[in-house]
């Protein structure tokens, strides 16, 4: 993301001759200065993906007018499209449980403005991090979850997310499976970090599964949440080498470093509108 | 592996007090000079693993005598054990199909003596690499495989392997599933390279599976062959990063680089007696 | 690189509004189907870089006509530009000394058409690989180099390169320093693999230097050759982890795997016109 | 490190026959249960290095008695040696400046007991993190540094370190060059994180240097501080891939993730007595 204020157009549409020409000519005709541009033509789905950053001060009008002027082109090419303004910070609601690593990591990035977002609140099923979160001046909501209260707890999380006008919900090792209705309510807006290299070791205790299988590398996966467990579109993955001397506890420890790094990268791509959905796969314009 | 001629003791046994003391004292009493030593106590299985390289010229007797003298200790501690002589090259029989990358890579290492083994022959179900292999002065056997001839072909491969007095059989992208009897006949002696990061994408067309799942890294796995497909003990793994711009063909291309590197490392560990079996897992003393 | 025949336009020019619009409109007006497109605006140098692949069969005219029609645009924007045809294979002259790993690796890729180039000849200061190269049907030239004959040997290498109509000269561990005049004669056309992570360990015996410094990772660097030793624009780099147990010989062995992988990637980027020079740095559209 | 309380013997001495036998027999004779053992024979320096973890409850006596009994062996073999008790937490004094990433990372690990140490205080030349540190219940000392006050400030840091009975001083992006006398006062006890892949880019602004050189990977190095700037024994290093699209600011951002990971690993090795000095190189028993 460039330091200047910019508008980011991200779009996908059926591939055909002339898409770039039309969009780029539109921008040039309005004297728009392009900071960064990425394209991808997907041969399998015959779909075209693009992301363009335009310097805000190079245009003589505002975001609303930009959207209004661009709409006819988007309709002509049947685009899924969006234009965002880097001056409007995304609102990220963070859900945690009792593990500290992703939470500390996200708040460190937020504190230094490396992760340039608003965090309107943190929600947890435990009280563990109330003090730490509130010390940062961020509201903390304790929403306990039990087998019986599950539905009610989810409703409360949704209420808090809506109240906070959240753009994206981040499951920073939240350790709770969300009900299908909730996943479907926010497609492409709930980002999870799973502690394995998916599709290996879906579900519970992946480090234990990895240990038993005797793999030589373990990983972590940042993905969008969908109703099917750990099967949503993958945004980012990484791995770390282990060996026979490492216990399950060592795997958990190494894994934490990968988890927080992968989540931070994946969230950043999402926040900067670098992730476009292509069925159950993602285009990530890094 | 040290450049000097050495004897390598590798052993595992139930863990207890005094194993190292007894073995090390035995070596010291015989004036043995230890070049390299590795140990691992497995907390789960309560089993102890060790590998010790002793300079051959530091002992006043030969390999046969070393084994004879060591046997009582091995029996006392109920060891699975082996002592090998670095001057006796392992005999590696290579099986290939029609892909060149692992074969070229192995022969380059063999030619430069980096991989210090004998290759008594290469066996293939295609004639493709006869000229290349024979140019290196290595016998080439064409053993065609069809659905009907499968059992007969395997019998012929076994016959050639026995005739060549092979120590280890390397499936260098052989692309044929071996019958269970064959796997069971050579436990820990058939090394395969699978073109995925196991346990993800078992079986056929793993790059295609990886593409469809939208993973952001692909991998390769070197493992011992067991009757259950792609489920044997893992020796080595590695991965390479891909992105949305990569087609299945790109994955295949990147994958080849990982496959040959992982196979070469795994085979080297095996050849140098660095791999000890611990159930379906491996201890690899790198 | 796409399997279809394509024309690849690569260009750089001073950054300004309207470059993409103009180029893309030109392509669209000629019904050109864009397969892949990459852009980079360099904030420091205020220079714009682009690379566009156009399906050859989407244009109603040939390469010469494409170049003729594009020239006015290139001149208007003061572009450094080039349009190549994927059907015209690049001619790669390989220089080697006595190490086998890069040579085997390149010929394996060439043999399988993964590296889709012509290799009109291999030149070496030793006879070592004559048989291997000639077995592949590739002419082999032995050009001995001594301290006294250096200038004459270089002249002979240049003569052979010109005679072979080489597009690019690859120093596949050639182990000879080229005279400045030769480097200047072929700017951006001589690709070297240096066996360290530059700028660390310039010059001779980099693995020995790395061992003495006690680094925990070693690397390799693929770069264009310039008159200043190991200081040319870097195309690609990679590393491998080592530890205290590794001798200089182990470093050399691990290093070979990195060297051949990095050279193969760097050469591929060069061959596919993915590398654009930006002063002493490179833009690599992967 | 094993969850059970253990004594860790780490030692180096001139290599000769019988070291392992003598040490292991000593342990066995005292019924010591070995949890983990690592050895390294350095061919260049003819020196032997070892690290052995013994379960504390397997010995019938305490640490003082263990040291007393071991001393004659240590003297016979002329060992540099040390025996530590995992129940006695190391005291880590952290020095920071104005960057948050390493501090947040270390405190997260400390808070979860992953990094099982005491942090008696944090020292900084800025007030920036007073609140954050004190919220964790850790004393914070502000020791301003100016060109004139340098000597006096260092004296104050030393005083605070001594007062805190620090075992190790961690420069968590402290950004101040320590005077030679201070480095010499605590050999092998001051751990620094340098934001480049040493020996490349010594000194100030390494990311800027890396950007200008056009490298394709950037790194970080955890090392012991010695009087020569950024030239001390290296404990751990790692890298991350960058490309032409990354600005210096991007490099700084990516680098932070590597810095904190490398520092955490290096510090952990140090804390667990896994690092032994071998001249200006390290043996790291991971």
């Amino acid at each position: 993301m460039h330091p200047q204020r910019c508008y980011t157009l991200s779009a996908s549409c059926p591939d055909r001759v002339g898409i770039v020409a039309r969009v780029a000519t539109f921008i040039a005709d309005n004297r728009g200065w392009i900071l960064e541009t990425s394209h991808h033509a997907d041969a399998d789905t015959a779909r075209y993906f693009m992301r363009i950053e335009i310097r805000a001060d190079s245009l003589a009008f505002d975001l609303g007018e930009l959207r209004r002027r661009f709409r006819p082109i988007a309709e002509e090419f049947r685009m899924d499209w969006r234009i965002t303004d880097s001056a409007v910070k995304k609102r990220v609601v963070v859900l945690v449980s009792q593990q500290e690593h992703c939470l500390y990591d996200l708040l460190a990035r937020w504190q230094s403005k490396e992760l340039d977002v608003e965090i309107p609140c943190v929600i947890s099923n435990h009280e563990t991090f109330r003090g730490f979160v509130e010390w940062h001046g961020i509201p903390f909501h304790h929403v306990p979850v039990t087998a019986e209260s599950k539905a009610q707890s989810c409703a409360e999380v949704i209420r808090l997310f809506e109240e906070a006008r959240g753009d994206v919900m981040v499951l920073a090792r939240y350790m709770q499976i969300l009900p299908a209705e909730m996943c479907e309510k926010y497609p492409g807006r709930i980002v999870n970090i799973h502690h394995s290299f998916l599709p290996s070791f879906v579900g519970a205790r992946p480090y234990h599964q990895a240990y038993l299988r005797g793999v030589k590398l373990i990983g972590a996966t940042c993905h969008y949440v969908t109703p099917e467990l750990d099967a949503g579109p993958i945004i980012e993955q990484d791995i770390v080498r282990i060996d026979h001397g490492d216990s399950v506890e060592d795997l958990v420890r190494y894994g934490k470093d990968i988890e927080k790094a992968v989540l931070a990268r994946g969230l950043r791509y999402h926040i900067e509108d670098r992730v476009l959905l292509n069925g159950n796969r993602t285009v990530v314009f890094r």
Side-chain angles (χ1 to χ4, degrees), chain A:
Chain A
M1 187 70 76
H2 289 267
Q4 299 103 321
R5 179 176 176 184
C6 64
Y7 300 131
T8 301
L9 162 66
S10 45
S12 69
C13 62
D15 200 0
R16 46 171 272 199
V17 166
I19 305 171
V20 184
R22 186 63 175 276
V23 173
T25 300
F26 165 79
I27 295 168
D29 287 350
N30 288 296
R31 310 303 306 152
W33 181 277
I34 294 176
L35 286 166
E36 187 177 322
T37 163
S38 309
H39 302 269
H40 170 60
D42 195 71
D44 281 3
T45 55
R47 221 169 153 74
Y48 198 81
F49 298 82
M50 77 180 79
R51 178 185 181 278
I52 302 176
E53 288 182 10
I54 306 158
R55 245 173 63 189
D57 64 7
S58 68
L59 295 177
F61 41 80
D62 70 5
L63 179 62
E65 178 66 11
L66 175 58
R67 284 175 177 151
R68 203 186 58 74
R69 292 189 186 197
F70 186 71
R71 181 158 298 119
I73 295 175
E75 284 170 359
E76 178 189 341
F77 287 85
R78 291 184 291 135
M79 291 181 178
D80 287 337
W81 67 290
R82 181 169 46 184
I83 305 179
T84 57
D85 179 349
S86 68
V88 179
K89 295 188 185 185
K90 299 281 201 315
R91 299 175 66 82
V92 178
V93 171
V94 179
L95 277 73
V96 296
S97 187
Q98 289 183 289
Q99 294 206 37
E100 79 298 332
H101 57 292
C102 290
L103 180 64
Y104 264 76
D105 191 72
L106 290 176
L107 291 199
R109 294 173 199 271
W110 167 83
Q111 183 270 353
S112 69
K113 301 203 190 320
E114 176 199 313
L115 188 65
D116 200 21
V117 301
E118 302 284 348
I119 302 185
C121 66
V122 171
I123 301 171
S124 179
N125 54 337
H126 294 276
E127 281 283 359
T128 316
F129 295 112
R130 176 181 294 280
F132 179 73
V133 169
E134 289 182 349
W135 182 86
H136 284 86
I138 298 171
F140 180 92
H141 303 293
H142 179 210
V143 181
V145 178
T146 61
E148 304 78 48
S149 74
K150 187 98 187 191
Q152 193 184 328
S153 304
C154 278
E156 176 63 4
V157 168
I158 290 174
R159 195 190 65 75
L160 289 166
F161 181 70
E162 292 293 334
E163 187 179 84
R165 288 172 293 115
D167 291 302
V168 56
M169 198 184 291
V170 175
L171 310 186
R173 297 300 310 275
Y174 179 52
M175 308 297 282
Q176 295 291 327
I177 297 175
L178 304 188
E181 314 82 74
M182 188 167 167
C183 303
E184 278 157 359
K185 187 175 172 69
Y186 301 112
R189 289 174 65 193
I190 309 179
V191 171
N192 184 43
I193 180 70
H194 181 73
H195 40 317
S196 85
F197 183 79
L198 291 174
S200 289
F201 312 131
V202 164
R205 308 189 73 204
Y207 292 125
H208 200 255
Q209 295 181 54
Y211 179 83
L212 291 177
R213 180 59 187 94
V215 292
K216 299 301 183 185
L217 308 168
I218 54 169
T221 304
C222 179
H223 66 98
Y224 290 117
V225 174
T226 57
E228 189 184 346
L229 183 63
D230 298 330
I234 293 171
I235 305 171
E236 174 67 338
Q237 301 186 291
D238 214 339
I239 56 91
V240 65
R241 186 166 288 274
I242 58 168
D243 74 16
H244 59 265
D246 295 312
S247 62
V248 173
E249 290 70 34
D250 291 323
L251 267 52
V252 168
R253 178 166 54 81
Y254 293 139
K256 285 160 75 171
D257 283 355
I258 299 295
E259 291 163 31
K260 70 189 184 194
V262 168
L263 175 58
R265 289 204 297 266
L267 181 58
R268 181 181 179 89
Y269 299 148
H270 176 88
I271 292 299
E272 294 184 0
D273 298 297
R274 296 181 180 280
V275 189
L276 285 77
L277 287 174
N278 184 17
N280 199 46
R281 304 164 62 219
T282 60
V283 171
V284 181
F285 291 124
R286 299 178 64 190

